[in-house]
Amino acid sequence: SNFILANAQGRCGFPIVYCSDGFCDLTGFARTEVMQKNCSCRFLCGAETSEPILQSIEKALDSRQEYQTEVCFYKKGGAAFWCLLDIMPIKNEKGEVVLFLFSFKDITESRSRTYPGDKKEEKQSSEKQRSKKPGNSHLRAARRQGRTMLHRLSSQFVRRDRGEMKINRNVFENKPSVPEYKVASVQKSRFILLHYSIFKALWDWLILLATFYVAITVPYNVCFTGTEDSLSAARSTIVSDIAVEMLFILDIILNFRTTYVSQSGQVVYDPRSICIHYVATWFFVDLIAALPFDLLYIFNVTVTSLVHLLKTVRLLRLLRLLQKLDRYSQYSAMVLTLLMSMFALLAHWMACIWYVIGRKELESNDPRTWEIGWLHELGKRLEAPYINNSLGGPSIRSAYIASLYFTLSSLTSVGFGNVCANTDTEKIFSICTMLIGALMHAVVFGNVTAIIQRMYSRRSLYHTRMKDLKDFIRVHHLPQQLKQRMLEYFQTTWSVNNGIDANEV
């Protein structure tokens, strides 16, 4: 059949929402050229098209009435043809007209036999006569034809609860199939790594552990490598440090071949787009973090504190941890572990800074006359006093443990006084530590509380609903037997579905 469907509820005119293949063959227009045009068929008009008939069509559309006429239309190539036009309004369950059905029947051959002289006045009078007689045989045939079309279209419509009508997807042209994210198999190169694959997830956690290793060792080496013993200790970790650097370099290579999700939500598999995206986002941070500073030990190059300070740039990789928190926010145990690890890492960094402050205070004063620094107090308590700026004093291990003890006690409470700040610099640092500790309490432990509450939210909901039910029973003074039945029913249904409404899901 040659027909079109138009939206009868449009604000500006009645746009065409569907046209059949027969209509495209009859008029020569492609489907994309017809869609969203006004259904008054002005785009089919030509020199021989009757303007009064077009006005009658528009009047019938405005009044939502059936209409039939014979009219001369023109194809896309300019050839004229006569057609029997039937307009049929389609209503929903509420009686509202939601669609217009236009049926076009080519009657050019029968028209040429009926009017061999092609008298224009006779045609127009016949058109007017047909349009004024809605009850003639042609209209009855058109109605039967329209009902048949509606029956054929019934399988293509899905009626919703709100009375809306949605045309099924198979009515329209077949769209190119797009692989669904994480569901369909995708056509990609074997050298492209999916960012949501199991291997990539395990690799990301390995890189995360390596990043935590760097975040622990780099500040420690920067702050505690001032003596020969500590330098030899730093050289003892050369193998693990180089292994971590190799992991970072390999991670850069893999990131150049790993897919990503664009801003529009599409997974990008094109290697060139992946490279451009990685260079524009994390490449330079990862490159700086992967610079092999530890190879200087192999070539016996003198390593100064400046080199260790340059290695602190690797801490920028901790910014990737924010991605992990966002990606794994649904896993409470993982988020809890990461938050506590960040808190312990912050305490480690503060301990390194606390030790540096003590060393600088000690080096800037004579240890024989200056006895108020925290390192000097620690040395006296451990019976290992400082002889001069470089000799004596507690071991590096004891100094680090005391520093970590002080910073953790300051971050979590107000400290206990056995390791305390004496000089102005130490007191200023202690004030900053307490302020940071208050902030960490708000951020870390606030999130921990929310995670624990989420873990027990279902149990809390059970007790809330049980309390509401008991209050209802108490307010309405229900008898004991009914009360017992209600409580047993609630407990039984909760044990079956755990408070989840299957219909809502």
Side-chain angles (χ1 to χ4, degrees):
S1 301
N2 312 324
F3 67 94
I4 61 174
L5 287 174
N7 183 10
Q9 296 181 333
R11 296 182 180 179
C12 300
F14 308 104
I16 298 173
V17 295
Y18 177 73
C19 64
S20 66
D21 294 334
F23 177 82
C24 296
D25 296 336
L26 176 64
T27 60
F29 285 92
R31 183 166 294 166
T32 54
E33 297 174 323
V34 177
M35 299 294 286
Q36 298 302 319
K37 287 184 179 294
N38 198 304
C39 66
S40 59
C41 300
R42 290 278 181 178
F43 63 96
L44 296 176
C45 296
E48 299 295 329
T49 306
S50 174
E51 182 64 28
I53 291 181
L54 295 177
Q55 294 177 0
S56 300
I57 293 174
E58 294 175 351
K59 184 178 179 182
L61 293 175
D62 293 334
S63 59
R64 268 74 170 175
Q65 294 179 353
E66 298 180 4
Y67 184 75
Q68 183 194 41
T69 185
E70 292 181 2
V71 62
C72 179
F73 282 143
Y74 286 79
K75 300 181 179 181
K76 182 179 180 181
F81 68 96
W82 282 90
C83 73
L84 177 64
L85 175 64
D86 296 303
I87 302 176
M88 196 76 62
I90 302 175
K91 299 180 180 180
N92 59 8
E93 295 88 345
K94 298 180 181 179
E96 301 172 347
V97 177
V98 293
L99 291 173
F100 285 117
L101 175 65
F102 281 65
S103 175
F104 300 83
K105 183 178 180 181
D106 190 359
I107 57 171
T108 303
E109 295 182 1
S110 60
R111 180 78 181 184
S112 61
R113 290 195 299 267
T114 306
Y115 301 99
D118 195 17
K119 297 180 180 179
K120 185 175 182 180
E121 293 81 3
E122 192 173 356
K123 293 181 187 178
Q124 293 180 355
S125 62
S126 176
E127 292 169 1
K128 292 179 181 179
Q129 184 179 4
R130 288 177 180 273
S131 63
K132 290 179 181 178
K133 296 180 179 180
N136 57 17
S137 60
H138 288 287
L139 182 56
R140 287 194 295 271
R143 284 178 176 173
R144 287 194 300 270
Q145 181 185 10
R147 298 292 183 266
T148 304
M149 289 181 183
L150 288 177
H151 179 72
R152 293 169 58 186
L153 284 169
S154 61
S155 62
Q156 311 293 344
F157 286 87
V158 178
R159 294 186 180 272
R160 296 179 178 177
D161 294 336
R162 297 180 180 179
E164 297 176 349
M165 300 185 71
K166 178 183 177 183
I167 299 178
N168 204 335
R169 207 179 295 173
N170 56 12
V171 174
F172 297 97
E173 292 178 336
N174 294 327
K175 297 181 180 180
S177 59
V178 179
E180 296 183 6
Y181 181 39
K182 292 190 180 181
V183 177
S185 59
V186 294
Q187 300 295 330
K188 65 177 184 64
S189 172
R190 66 176 64 182
F191 300 106
I192 295 296
L193 184 64
L194 296 177
H195 68 280
Y196 53 86
S197 61
I198 297 178
F199 171 77
K200 190 61 171 66
L202 296 176
W203 177 261
D204 287 342
W205 281 104
L206 179 62
I207 294 297
L208 181 62
L209 293 177
T211 305
F212 270 112
Y213 172 81
V214 168
I216 293 172
T217 58
V218 168
Y220 181 86
N221 291 332
V222 169
C223 300
F224 288 90
T225 54
T227 62
E228 292 298 327
D229 294 337
S230 57
L231 283 174
S232 61
R235 287 176 178 267
S236 64
T237 61
I238 185 65
V239 177
S240 58
D241 292 341
I242 292 179
V244 168
E245 290 173 355
M246 294 300 105
L247 281 177
F248 287 164
I249 294 173
L250 186 58
D251 182 59
I252 293 176
I253 298 173
L254 291 179
N255 284 329
F256 274 111
R257 309 297 295 178
T258 304
T259 61
Y260 70 95
V261 180
S262 63
Q263 293 182 351
S264 61
Q266 299 293 325
V267 182
V268 179
Y269 302 94
D270 180 50
R272 184 173 180 274
S273 301
I274 292 174
C275 294
I276 294 175
H277 176 265
Y278 181 55
V279 169
T281 52
W282 290 100
F283 171 70
F284 290 103
V285 174
D286 293 345
L287 180 64
I288 295 174
L291 292 177
F293 295 108
D294 293 298
L295 293 179
L296 298 176
Y297 289 107
I298 297 179
F299 298 104
N300 294 323
V301 178
T302 302
V303 178
T304 61
S305 60
L306 179 61
V307 175
H308 291 299
L309 288 175
L310 290 176
K311 290 172 67 175
T312 57
V313 182
R314 294 181 180 177
L315 300 181
L316 291 174
R317 286 193 69 97
L318 286 175
L319 296 175
R320 295 288 191 106
L321 186 60
L322 300 178
Q323 290 182 324
K324 294 287 183 293
L325 288 175
D326 183 50
R327 184 180 303 174
Y328 299 105
S329 59
Q330 56 182 330
Y331 305 108
S332 301
M334 290 185 181
V335 176
L336 185 61
T337 303
L338 290 176
L339 288 175
M340 295 306 297
S341 300
M342 286 299 299
F343 186 80
L345 193 61
L346 178 64
H348 168 73
W349 293 348
M350 303 296 285
C352 294
I353 298 175
W354 177 247
Y355 176 78
V356 169
I357 291 175
R359 288 292 306 178
K360 295 299 181 183
E361 292 277 357
L362 195 63
E363 292 173 0
S364 60
N365 297 279
D366 188 0
R368 291 172 293 182
T369 58
W370 186 80
E371 299 179 351
I372 61 173
W374 78 269
L375 273 178
H376 198 280
E377 293 286 340
L378 180 65
K380 286 197 301 184
R381 289 193 182 125
L382 296 179
E383 297 181 354
Y386 284 93
I387 300 174
N388 53 36
N389 292 339
S390 58
L391 297 178
S395 63
I396 296 296
R397 176 175 174 272
S398 300
Y400 172 74
I401 293 176
S403 300
L404 187 62
Y405 167 77
F406 171 77
T407 53
L408 273 175
S409 61
S410 299
L411 287 172
T412 56
S413 60
V414 294
F416 299 101
N418 46 1
V419 178
C420 58
N422 298 320
T423 66
D424 292 340
T425 307
E426 293 173 354
K427 291 176 181 178
I428 292 174
F429 177 78
S430 300
I431 293 173
C432 296
T433 303
M434 294 176 189
L435 291 175
I436 294 174
L439 180 62
M440 292 302 292
H441 269 280
V443 175
V444 176
F445 295 106
N447 278 280
V448 170
T449 305
I451 289 171
I452 294 176
Q453 287 180 349
R454 192 165 61 211
M455 293 169 62
Y456 294 98
S457 61
R458 188 62 59 183
R459 182 181 300 178
S460 175
L461 181 61
Y462 169 79
H463 291 296
T464 301
R465 291 186 179 179
M466 177 62 79
K467 183 179 182 301
D468 292 341
L469 183 59
K470 290 181 179 179
D471 290 341
F472 177 84
I473 294 172
R474 178 179 54 81
V475 170
H476 293 278
H477 305 287
L478 298 182
Q480 182 65 28
Q481 185 178 4
L482 180 58
K483 171 185 175 182
Q484 191 64 28
R485 288 174 58 196
M486 291 172 66
L487 293 177
E488 289 178 355
Y489 174 78
F490 173 74
Q491 293 171 354
T492 303
T493 54
W494 188 277
S495 64
V496 172
N497 55 28
N498 201 22
I500 299 173
D501 187 358
N503 295 325
E504 183 180 355
V505 173

